Amino acid sequence: EVQLLESGGGLVQPGGSLRLSCAASGFTFNSYAMSWVRQAPGKGLEWVSAISGSGDTPYYGDSVKGRFTISRDNSKKTLYLQMNSLRAEDTAVYYCAKSPSGSYYMAYFDYWGQGTLVTVSS
Amino acid sequence: DIQMTQSPSSLSASVGDRVTITCRASQGISNFLAWYQQKPGKVPKLLIYVASTLQSGVPSRFSGSGSGTDFTLTISSLQPEDVATYYCQKYNSAPFTFGPGTKVDIK
């Protein structure tokens, strides 16, 4: 059974940093691209970042480019999102999501974690 | 970047009604389009990919169509458990943008 378990969310002050983790199980982690998708309170889904199965060629949404870094440790079956220079508008539930391919050719999401809440506030 | 729009933003229909949601891309994306259902307080769930392929386990009353810039999600006979917000998502190339969502409830 595919499981994705996010952690690392919490309350952080504007300008601060946070690192999210997503522990994966139930599938061959290094064979699949992964993404982070966020949802601000009462708002829609926003794709944040993606990384291929091999870990090369990450992509970022314009709203986080230059501030967030996606990475993965395939030996630990874990996806990360390093978030720096956080702003109030980054407040959201952050989901990790699995794609059904190792490349970006099928960059939709067949499995989602339960999400972790990040609140940016002073 | 390609922008995604959806219409309507919300709708209310009766049980058994046929419901159609439209998703439009600002440029052609071939058939690189997925649809998701998010019930209140729940995690999004994949319904359809490649514009018209039903994900395993999804009821057959859901269907998708379209190619290029215009896509539709149809619920052939609306059920109470279909109350949710529906999102389209493009994945032909990054950024893998979602549409703004269509909220569906029961009249």
Side-chain angles (χ1 to χ4, degrees):
Chain A
E1 179 192 5
V2 171
Q3 292 193 23
L4 300 170
L5 184 61
E6 302 94 337
S7 61
L11 175 64
V12 61
Q13 292 189 340
S17 298
L18 212 55
R19 188 176 85 154
L20 305 183
S21 299
C22 172
S25 61
F27 63 102
T28 306
F29 184 66
N30 61 9
S31 293
Y32 298 95
M34 300 291 295
S35 283
W36 290 97
V37 176
R38 69 184 181 183
Q39 187 168 35
K43 302 298 184 182
L45 301 173
E46 180 187 10
W47 173 78
V48 172
S49 182
I51 189 167
S52 64
S54 61
D56 59 6
T57 323
Y59 288 106
Y60 299 93
D62 285 345
S63 62
V64 306
K65 204 171 292 183
R67 300 187 299 123
F68 289 12
T69 302
I70 192 171
S71 62
R72 63 192 297 160
D73 185 333
N74 285 341
S75 67
K76 294 183 178 179
K77 300 183 181 181
T78 302
L79 175 73
Y80 302 101
L81 186 68
Q82 177 67 42
M83 305 186 296
N84 298 332
S85 303
L86 283 161
R87 307 165 180 166
E89 53 266 35
D90 295 318
T91 294
V93 173
Y94 285 73
Y95 297 102
C96 74
K98 170 189 168 293
S99 290
S101 166
S103 69
Y104 297 121
Y105 185 70
M106 298 166 69
Y108 57 91
F109 313 119
D110 55 357
Y111 289 94
W112 298 64
Q114 290 299 308
T116 187
L117 176 63
V118 172
T119 303
V120 184
S121 174
S122 55
Chain B
D1 291 344
I2 297 173
Q3 306 303 313
M4 305 299 293
T5 58
Q6 287 182 234
S7 61
S9 57
S10 65
L11 66 89
S12 187
S14 299
V15 172
D17 281 355
R18 183 181 185 87
V19 168
T20 299
I21 298 168
T22 297
C23 174
R24 181 161 291 165
S26 60
Q27 298 175 41
I29 59 170
S30 185
N31 60 354
F32 291 93
L33 187 100
W35 289 96
Y36 301 85
Q37 175 193 63
Q38 186 177 32
K39 296 182 179 182
K42 300 297 185 182
V43 175
K45 172 187 172 183
L46 175 66
L47 294 178
I48 286 169
Y49 57 96
V50 200
S52 61
T53 301
L54 208 62
Q55 173 72 343
S56 176
V58 173
S60 59
R61 63 181 180 273
F62 291 92
S63 64
S65 65
S67 184
T69 60
D70 294 323
F71 303 87
T72 59
L73 173 70
T74 299
I75 308 173
S76 61
S77 176
L78 187 68
Q79 300 301 305
E81 59 267 32
D82 300 334
V83 169
T85 300
Y86 294 84
Y87 298 92
C88 61
Q89 180 228 346
K90 65 168 275 291
Y91 59 94
N92 61 311
S93 63
F96 306 121
T97 310
F98 289 90
T102 295
K103 187 174 182 180
V104 174
D105 63 26
I106 302 293
K107 193 182 293 182

